Amino acid sequence: MDDYPLLNVFWTMLWFFLWIMWLFLLFKIFTDIFRDHEMNGWGKAGWIIFCILLPFLGVLVYVIARGKGMTQRDVKQAKESEAAFQDYIRKTAGTAPAGGGGGSSADELSRLSDLKDKGAITEEEFQRAKAKVLS
């Protein structure tokens, strides 16, 4: 270990970290290129060739030229994923979407339990309403 000083270890780790960061950015850019439905095939091919032939310059130019669009596409995909996830939860739980009419028995029981906890209804009223919901 004497022939490789601590400062050289630091610089090696720094360069390795920067290389890994650049790889993540390169994969993010390739993902964005293929996700962009407004760009035609020739444009996608051009950006990919540019990023492969001149990797550092290609990545830098792409981020400068299309960085705002990358963010917008990321936000759009996140919103679509969240909506699909919420829809899946509604279908799995058996509840109706907001504005789609009445709720499920579990929703009604939860509402009744909240009313009982707040003291708005008595235990007897809760039991009668619970029996009505479950029947």
Side-chain angles (χ1 to χ4, degrees), residues 1-21:
M1 192 71 178
D2 293 329
D3 50 333
Y4 203 68
L6 186 61
L7 188 59
N8 286 352
V9 172
F10 171 76
W11 284 113
T12 301
M13 293 302 290
L14 179 67
W15 282 112
F16 181 72
F17 174 74
L18 290 174
W19 182 69
I20 294 295
M21 272 186 17

Side-chain angles (χ1 to χ4, degrees), residues 66-124:
R66 300 182 47 86
K68 186 175 181 181
M70 283 177 70
T71 304
Q72 292 170 347
R73 285 183 288 279
D74 279 343
V75 168
K76 180 181 175 188
Q77 183 182 14
K79 286 181 181 179
E80 289 172 355
S81 296
E82 179 67 22
F85 179 68
Q86 292 297 329
D87 186 48
Y88 170 76
I89 289 175
R90 282 190 206 98
K91 287 179 183 176
T92 304
T95 59
S104 69
S105 302
D107 291 337
E108 187 67 23
L109 288 174
S110 174
R111 188 179 65 78
L112 286 171
S113 177
D114 288 342
L115 289 173
K116 183 183 83 160
D117 291 342
K118 292 177 184 175
I121 60 175
T122 65
E123 179 66 31
E124 294 81 27

